[in-house]
Structure formats: C-alpha cells, structure tokens
Amino acid sequence: MATTLFLFCVRIWAESPDPVKVFYTYDHLLHVAEEKITTYTPTKAFNFLAKAKELRPEPDYRYYNILGEAHSKLGQDNEAMEAFEKSVELNSNQFPLFLRISDYYENNRKPDRALLFTEKYLLLVPTDKNRIYKAAILSRRIGKEESYQKYIKLLESDTSFATEEDALQSSLSKHIKNKKWKEAEELTIRYIPFFPRTEGMYEYLILSRRGKKSPLLEEAYILACVTFKEETRYFVRYGVYLQENGRYLEALSIFRRAFFNALKFETKGDWDEILFLLRQSYANLGWEKETLAIDLLVKDIKRRDSLKDEDLENHIQTHRKNREYLQFAVYWFKDKNEKKTNLYRGLLKERDQENEVKEFLFVIGPFALENLEL
C-alpha cells in the first residue's frame, strides 16, 4: 500500500507544470533578473530571462533592457548593444538609451552608427545643444557635409551669448594663465555649442585638457580637426600627439590627411613640415622603402618649378607603391592631363585596396569613412 502511494505521488509530481511557471509571472521574473544584476551576479540573470521568454516568446522592451545590462556587466558590449537596439526599436521613447548606444559607437570608432542614434535622440529632444553639436561633428566625420552645415546653422541661430563672447574668451584666457585647467575645460564645453566655429574655443579646450593630462585630450584634437577640416595645422598637432604616444600607424593616417589638405587647398607653406612628419612616421614603422620615397619626393617638390613630367613619372615608377607619390601625381596632372590624372587615381585606389588591412586604411582617423579625392 505504501509503495503504491509513493509511486502515485511521484507520477503526480513529475506531471506537474514547471514550478517557475506556476509561481512566477513574467514581470516577477524580470524583476528577479534585474536584482541579480544589481547584486553582481549577472550570469544568474540569464536563467530568469530565459524563463520569462518561455512565458512570453515575444518579450517587451524591458526584457531587452535587462538583457543588455546583464551583457554589459559581463563586458559583452556587442551583445549589450544588440539588446539595447532591440529595446529602443520596441519603445522609441527611451532617449537616455539612445545616447548610451550613440556614445558606445562613437567610442568604438563607428561614427556612422553613432550619428544614427544621435539623430533618433534629437527627434525626442530637439533642443539639446550639446547633442546638436555632436550630430554636426559626426556628420562631417562621415562626409555628410549638408547635415553638418544644417546643424551648425541651427546652433549659430541661437545668439543668446553673442554679446558675451569677448568676456568668455577673456575668462578662458585667465583660467589658462592661472593653470585652472578644470575651470577652463568646463567653461569651454559649456559654451562651445554656441560658438562652434570659433577657433579660440578649440585652442582653450586643447590647452586645458593637456594641462590636466586628461584622457579626453584626443577628443579635443578630433573636434578641432573636424571643425577646421580644410586646414592642416590641427591635423599636424593631432598626428604629433599620436606619434608621442607611440601610435605610429594612426599618426601616419593623420599626417596623410594633412598632406591631402595641403595638396587640395595648395597650402604650400606646410608641405615641408608634413613631408618631414610623414617620413618620420614611416621610419617609426620601419618602412624603409617609404622613407626613401619621401626623401625623393621632397626633392621633386622643392624643384617643382623646373620639374619635368617625365622625371616625375620615372620617380613614381621607382616608388610606385608610395601613397604620397601617387597622390602628388594626381595633383600634378589634374589641370593639364586628364588621362594621366585618371591613371594615377586608379593606381592610388588599387594601392589602397592592396594595403587596406596592413595600414588600417578607412578604419582609423576622424574621417575614416569619408571618400577623399583631389
């Protein structure tokens, strides 16, 4: 009798529904999962999230928020962003989450994705000047010049502090002189959206962050490069900063942009310095053939008034894989021989495709996604 009763009870227990499903609702499971994250046991959160998804196969945005947080706590950033993106897709009113996603992509050198989520945020909070400024910078970084101009004009249409510009510059100068780096940085950040094309704002930001040895100094250089993208001086300074920090491949990328600007906008006074820095970058990387090419290119440029086309082409043939020589050839022939201009453009494109992985072309630098052509 006892044995029969025992077997009957076992059968009943085995056929009972999942106890989690019986005692916990979808909302309760989400709450427990969230608690596991806050108590620093995020791996356990996944178990409760899995049970929640069993109860609701198509979960709501809260599920994906908790899932994203669990991945984030474990350092699984890609998985976290995937979950957060699903969350804002289900509920587009989560403006802080748009910013979090945008900042993640910007920090991971994906300005196109960062701009996408910044603009989604601005649909919800269209008066956030800091983010309008951010959208302007990101737009120009990926070659969306019309968007950049649109955002800049929007910022400059607010003249709330126009009469205070001189006083602001004076205050910033005083802070820098007195080595009050923190105060200078905070003041610059607060007002730069109101004066987005005032060079002094960028100088003070660079000086203050350099003075306090801020890890955000690089961002200041990038902002200046983007704002004054048709000039060379900020690219030179940014490249030197990268070089000083042993980031030689990235420095090379920035000096190449400076050389491109010098050619495109014919700022001839900068050529010697930029070519010297390019040679130095190649030397730091141990690329001997490239350093020899720059040595010869420097000589050609110095005697450019007497340089003959055939001499230049012979030198290019000798150093046909050197990017600067091919770029100079495009510049040299662009107004006098369309056929040769197109030839060297094609060779430059082939060369870049061949070296894309080795040199991280189109990956590093503030304008990595922008198509550059003389």
Side-chain angles (χ1 to χ4, degrees):
M1 177 69 179
T3 301
T4 304
L5 182 60
F6 171 76
L7 292 174
F8 175 77
C9 290
V10 167
R11 188 174 71 251
I12 293 296
W13 179 81
E15 293 174 356
S16 297
D18 188 331
V20 173
K21 291 183 180 180
V22 171
F23 296 112
Y24 293 101
T25 65
Y26 173 80
D27 286 350
H28 194 174
L29 289 166
L30 292 187
H31 178 69
V32 174
E34 197 167 23
E35 282 186 336
K36 294 300 179 185
I37 296 170
T38 58
T39 55
Y40 301 97
T41 54
T43 51
K44 294 183 179 180
F46 294 114
N47 296 329
F48 293 93
L49 288 170
K51 292 298 182 182
K53 198 170 185 180
E54 287 180 17
L55 293 177
R56 188 183 293 186
E58 294 185 5
D60 64 358
Y61 74 96
R62 297 173 300 159
Y63 167 90
Y64 290 103
N65 280 344
I66 299 168
L67 179 63
E69 290 293 353
H71 281 301
S72 182
K73 284 285 187 180
L74 294 170
Q76 300 166 350
D77 293 331
N78 289 335
E79 292 84 350
M81 289 307 121
E82 185 178 337
F84 290 145
E85 287 185 42
K86 181 65 177 177
S87 176
V88 293
E89 181 184 317
L90 294 170
N91 180 357
S92 60
N93 290 318
Q94 304 178 84
F95 60 87
L97 196 51
F98 280 121
L99 294 184
R100 183 172 178 178
I101 298 169
S102 175
D103 289 344
Y104 168 79
Y105 283 125
E106 184 180 5
N107 293 335
N108 284 273
R109 301 183 179 191
K110 295 180 179 179
D112 51 337
R113 298 290 293 168
L115 177 61
L116 173 66
F117 287 96
T118 296
E119 291 185 322
K120 288 178 181 292
Y121 165 81
L122 287 172
L123 291 175
L124 300 172
V125 191
T127 58
D128 187 334
K129 286 186 167 46
N130 287 314
R131 288 294 163 166
I132 295 172
Y133 174 72
K134 181 75 74 176
I137 295 297
L138 291 169
S139 294
R140 188 169 251 197
R141 284 184 62 180
I142 61 174
K144 295 182 69 173
E145 189 64 21
E146 288 186 8
S147 293
Y148 168 78
Q149 295 296 341
K150 177 188 73 174
Y151 289 123
I152 289 295
K153 287 177 182 176
L154 181 59
L155 291 170
E156 292 180 334
S157 67
D158 185 342
T159 58
S160 303
F161 300 98
T163 59
E164 300 176 31
E165 184 175 0
D166 290 342
L168 174 62
Q169 297 289 337
S170 178
S171 294
L172 285 167
S173 178
K174 190 177 296 185
H175 285 322
I176 295 295
K177 185 178 180 180
N178 294 323
K179 297 184 179 180
K180 292 184 176 180
W181 312 123
K182 182 174 180 290
E183 291 83 351
E185 181 188 30
E186 289 176 352
L187 200 60
T188 306
I189 290 298
R190 189 182 311 149
Y191 288 103
I192 205 168
F194 296 95
F195 304 100
R197 288 192 278 199
T198 299
E199 187 170 357
M201 302 298 288
Y202 297 89
E203 287 290 347
Y204 289 128
L205 184 60
I206 290 170
L207 288 171
S208 62
R209 287 183 172 174
R210 186 191 296 155
K212 63 184 288 194
K213 296 180 173 58
S214 170
L216 296 176
L217 174 57
E218 183 173 0
E219 182 196 48
Y221 280 120
I222 291 175
L223 293 176
C225 287
V226 173
T227 304
F228 305 101
K229 66 174 285 190
E230 295 180 357
E231 301 175 24
T232 59
R233 61 189 182 281
Y234 285 111
F235 289 94
V236 167
R237 289 165 65 181
Y238 180 30
V240 169
Y241 163 82
L242 292 170
Q243 201 172 61
E244 289 172 346
N245 285 275
R247 295 161 62 183
Y248 301 128
L249 200 55
E250 292 172 88
L252 173 64
S253 174
I254 298 303
F255 292 141
R256 281 175 167 174
R257 174 68 194 221
F259 186 61
F260 169 85
N261 281 4
L263 294 177
K264 187 172 181 66
F265 305 107
E266 300 195 344
T267 53
K268 296 188 174 85
D270 298 337
W271 288 10
D272 289 345
E273 180 185 18
I274 294 168
L275 286 168
F276 170 79
L277 291 167
L278 279 165
R279 187 191 187 285
Q280 199 173 59
S281 295
Y282 286 133
N284 287 329
L285 290 164
W287 298 357
E288 186 177 353
K289 290 182 179 178
E290 303 290 358
T291 60
L292 294 173
I294 296 297
D295 286 340
L296 186 56
L297 179 56
V298 167
K299 293 177 182 178
D300 282 346
I301 288 177
K302 282 185 176 178
R303 65 185 187 97
R304 59 183 172 272
D305 291 338
S306 60
L307 182 65
K308 295 179 180 178
D309 292 356
E310 53 267 31
D311 291 336
L312 175 61
E313 292 192 280
N314 285 336
H315 295 163
I316 292 170
Q317 188 62 30
T318 303
H319 299 286
R320 55 194 178 89
K321 296 298 183 181
N322 178 259
R323 194 175 198 278
E324 286 64 54
Y325 246 125
L326 291 172
Q327 204 165 47
F328 182 70
V330 174
Y331 164 81
W332 184 261
F333 289 110
K334 69 175 182 176
D335 293 326
K336 56 182 177 180
N337 190 321
E338 184 179 358
K339 184 177 179 180
K340 288 187 177 179
T341 300
N342 290 333
L343 168 67
Y344 288 114
R345 275 185 180 147
L347 290 174
L348 178 61
K349 185 176 180 180
E350 287 177 14
R351 184 244 172 243
D352 282 350
Q353 289 175 341
E354 184 179 328
N355 292 275
E356 182 175 355
V357 175
K358 175 187 175 184
E359 299 177 6
F360 287 170
L361 284 167
F362 318 119
V363 175
I364 58 181
F367 301 101
L369 299 180
E370 184 181 10
N371 181 32
L372 302 180
E373 188 173 286
L374 287 171

